Amino acid sequence: MDIQLKKGLIEICVLASLKKNDSYGYQIIKDLSVCVAISESTLYPILRRLESSECLKVYTMEHNGRLRKYYHLTVKGRERIDEFLEDWDQIMNIYEYIKGGNENE
């Protein structure tokens, strides 16, 4: 898969994993494992980018005597998911075109 396409899809998956509840890195990796394999070295730069673009807010809470970083989906993050979903029809049209183009060969 094209690296840029995969990067964009993973970012949307990370945002989607936070739609219901705030979460932390390890749990996000676990939640995403049902659709994509992602490592910590891939996740944390994505989380930093999403925080910088104000799609996420970060806060810390104590858990078992240690501070744990939690990620919260912002309104801007929800809007980004909505934009992706609105674009999905166009993505599927492109997919069908490519798929159909390969069948004709």
Side-chain angles (χ1 to χ4, degrees):
M1 180 182 287
D2 177 75
I3 191 80
Q4 292 302 318
L5 177 60
K6 187 172 184 179
K7 180 177 132 183
L9 290 172
I10 290 173
E11 284 186 4
I12 297 299
C13 288
V14 169
L15 292 172
S17 75
L18 298 168
K19 279 177 74 172
K20 292 182 182 172
N21 298 310
D22 295 356
S23 194
Y24 54 95
Y26 178 75
Q27 186 62 49
I28 293 170
I29 290 171
K30 216 167 127 179
D31 292 344
L32 292 180
S33 69
V34 299
C35 66
V36 66
I38 184 171
S39 66
E40 289 181 21
S41 62
T42 300
L43 176 64
Y44 288 103
I46 289 171
L47 289 169
R48 284 192 294 276
R49 274 195 308 275
L50 291 170
E51 180 185 9
S52 294
S53 64
E54 299 178 347
C55 291
L56 299 178
K57 285 192 178 188
V58 179
Y59 62 94
T60 56
M61 284 182 56
E62 189 173 327
H63 177 76
N64 291 336
R66 297 177 61 198
L67 288 180
R68 178 182 279 171
K69 217 182 240 193
Y70 283 84
Y71 299 90
H72 173 77
L73 184 64
T74 64
V75 169
K76 192 170 182 178
R78 288 184 188 280
E79 289 170 352
R80 183 134 175 232
I81 293 169
D82 292 342
E83 288 168 9
F84 172 81
L85 293 173
E86 288 173 10
D87 291 341
W88 189 249
D89 286 338
Q90 183 178 4
I91 292 167
M92 288 308 299
N93 286 338
I94 293 167
Y95 169 81
E96 290 299 328
Y97 175 80
I98 293 167
K99 185 178 173 186
N102 289 338
E103 289 175 357
N104 292 330
E105 293 177 7

